[in-house]
Amino acid sequence: MLDVRNIDVAYGDVQVIWDVSFRVGQGEIVAMIGANGAGKSTIMRTVSGVLRPGKGQILLAGEAIHNVEPYTLIEKGLAHVPEARRLFPEMSVEENLDMGSLRGRARKERARTKDRVFSIFPRLAERRRQASGTLSGGEQQMLAIGRGLMALPRLIMFDEPSPGLAPILVQDIFGVIRTVRDEGMTVLIVEQNVRQTLALCDRAYVLENGRITQEGAGADLLRDPHVKAAYLGV
Ligand code: ATP
């Protein structure tokens, strides 16, 4: 579904991603783990078209997308649930969801998808007319995910969906990620919460100083001595 080949990414003269390659197969949950500043969000922003790689290629279902505008990528089936929950704070919950489904099939299916989002997150249904800026942090995170789902993407990318959330809510959100995969979406997730993320994903890549240093099945990386020492505190 997603094939990232040998990309370099820089901010001005400062290169932060070095020759990174990874793949996300149809129906997989793939995670990218790494320390603060390793470059995880930079990779997400590059895949979603906000940044351009200096070299390399990014293919979505075989089609090169590294020179495509972000709004076009949504139509091609790629949704990005960003870290800084970029919602429209003055708009209601429902209006924010509508903004996730402006065109094409997503627009046609809007009512049905919205019902689905409200059934996944009943809290959002209760607050559908509330301004999103007044939601709690966890509710805003649910809304950001709901807005991503409204686009009916083939590939959905989650950038740190759990920081600052109560453990029970983290479990809920990881449960939702599993559900959307079981319904046919492909998932790429970046998370600080390494233990739970490795337990959730099928495969993961370890990113260190802008380079991929390890990859493997989530379950295998959970047992890996380097991963345990560096990311699991054991
Ligand atoms: P975290 O887990 O802390 O969010 P991350 O792995 O997502 O970290 P990035 O946000 O991708 O890391 O940052 C990678 C490197 O790029 C860091 O050294 C960061 O300072 C630098 N960087 C990020 N954004 C910019 C920017 N807009 N301009 C210049 N440097 C940047």
Side-chain angles (χ1 to χ4, degrees):
M1 176 63 71
L2 180 70
D3 188 359
V4 175
R5 297 184 183 163
N6 308 101
I7 59 167
D8 284 353
V9 187
Y11 293 102
D13 294 337
V14 183
Q15 186 170 342
V16 298
I17 297 299
W18 306 80
D19 200 38
V20 161
S21 299
F22 64 96
R23 305 176 78 132
V24 187
Q26 165 77 43
E28 271 192 311
I29 300 179
V30 169
M32 182 80 64
I33 62 169
N36 289 119
K40 305 180 297 297
S41 300
T42 301
I43 289 177
M44 287 290 206
R45 289 199 288 265
T46 309
V47 173
S48 63
V50 179
L51 297 171
R52 299 251 181 267
K55 78 164 179 63
Q57 285 186 306
I58 303 175
L59 306 176
L60 181 68
E63 183 184 353
I65 58 165
H66 46 277
N67 284 315
V68 167
E69 296 299 327
Y71 66 87
T72 319
L73 283 177
I74 294 170
E75 287 168 21
K76 292 185 189 298
L78 189 149
H80 181 194
V81 177
E83 173 179 24
R85 305 146 190 171
R86 271 176 249 125
L87 301 166
F88 302 98
E90 311 291 328
M91 287 187 174
S92 70
V93 165
E94 188 156 13
E95 288 164 339
N96 270 280
L97 290 176
D98 290 346
M99 295 301 285
S101 55
L102 291 178
R103 293 187 191 82
R105 188 168 75 91
R107 177 71 189 82
K108 288 199 200 81
E109 299 284 327
R110 178 183 278 174
R112 197 194 316 227
T113 318
K114 210 187 302 180
D115 284 346
R116 178 81 186 101
V117 168
F118 284 151
S119 74
I120 294 173
F121 297 117
R123 185 75 68 90
L124 294 181
E126 287 163 21
R127 290 163 193 272
R128 62 202 295 159
R129 289 184 229 299
Q130 185 173 329
S132 72
T134 64
L135 295 173
S136 76
E139 289 163 352
Q140 291 192 27
Q141 193 58 37
M142 294 175 202
L143 181 53
I145 294 171
R147 195 176 57 177
L149 296 177
M150 290 299 292
L152 294 176
R154 295 190 284 173
L155 173 69
I156 187 160
M157 305 196 299
F158 294 97
D159 197 342
E160 295 187 10
S162 84
L165 299 185
I168 182 83
L169 207 49
V170 175
Q171 276 178 28
D172 286 354
I173 283 182
F174 278 32
V176 167
I177 292 173
R178 207 173 272 126
T179 303
V180 301
R181 187 276 295 278
D182 292 345
E183 291 177 358
M185 278 183 209
T186 300
V187 176
L188 176 62
I189 176 172
V190 160
E191 251 293 331
Q192 304 267 1
N193 192 333
V194 172
R195 190 182 303 275
Q196 273 174 296
T197 304
L198 289 179
L200 169 79
C201 71
D202 300 304
R203 290 189 304 114
Y205 293 85
V206 180
L207 188 70
E208 292 179 341
N209 298 316
R211 292 182 167 85
I212 303 277
T213 54
Q214 271 180 285
E215 72 169 285
D220 292 340
L221 289 175
L222 270 175
R223 289 191 293 266
D224 179 86
H226 171 70
V227 170
K228 279 164 105 171
Y231 301 104
L232 300 174
V234 288

